[in-house]
Amino acid sequence: MASRPAIVMPDAVAVVTAFLRGALAASGRAVPVVSRVPSPRPPEFVRVQRIGGVRQTPVSDRPRLDIHAWAETESAAHDLAALSRALLDQIPGVRDGVTVYGVSEVGGPMWLPDDQTSTPRYAFAVEIHMRGRAL
């Protein structure tokens, strides 16, 4: 019986933060896109966090990600989340050597003021289907 190679799944947060950072900058909205809330906090930023997901196939992953957009006003936070949401539709393709097959929204935008600072924030959730690599 032949053994299959071990498949290592990509760091979805790294792939998505790099993609969004570049896409937001190209759209004229260059804001930090991070995996952790920065200290000190900039006036506007986007955080990408993996909150679960499953292996889709033996060679692909389907991580679930929360995308949070902070800004100084409710409308600015909404607009940053809406722009990030729209740009993520463009992620399919090869991103930093990782094949991204598609993105599915699993939770639409919701008003979610920061529980520690009351800073305006909107959040939404997606699943990103991406291919792993053989060792």
Side-chain angles (χ1 to χ4, degrees):
M1 177 162 85
S3 64
R4 293 188 297 190
I7 304 296
V8 176
M9 298 304 171
D11 180 345
V13 171
V15 172
V16 172
T17 54
F19 171 79
L20 269 180
R21 192 175 299 122
L24 284 165
S27 72
R29 194 88 186 260
V31 301
V33 181
V34 296
S35 61
R36 296 176 185 257
V37 175
S39 179
R41 290 177 186 224
E44 293 186 325
F45 66 97
V46 173
R47 183 188 73 192
V48 178
Q49 181 179 32
R50 184 167 183 159
I51 58 169
V54 297
R55 184 182 301 254
Q56 178 77 18
T57 70
V59 297
S60 67
D61 200 15
R62 191 174 193 87
R64 183 172 288 202
L65 305 173
D66 265 355
I67 315 293
H68 290 226
W70 277 263
E72 294 181 288
T73 66
E74 184 175 343
S75 65
H78 170 273
D79 292 351
L80 182 56
L83 179 58
S84 298
R85 181 184 186 203
L87 291 170
L88 273 177
D89 283 341
Q90 304 301 310
I91 199 169
V94 178
R95 305 293 175 187
D96 295 330
V98 174
T99 299
V100 178
Y101 296 116
V103 60
S104 301
E105 186 169 271
V106 293
M110 66 180 205
W111 170 238
L112 190 67
D114 186 280
D115 57 355
Q116 294 179 10
T117 65
S118 297
T119 303
R121 173 177 63 170
Y122 268 83
F124 63 98
V126 296
E127 288 181 345
I128 305 282
H129 186 194
M130 49 184 52
R131 187 172 181 88
R133 66 175 173 78
L135 285 180

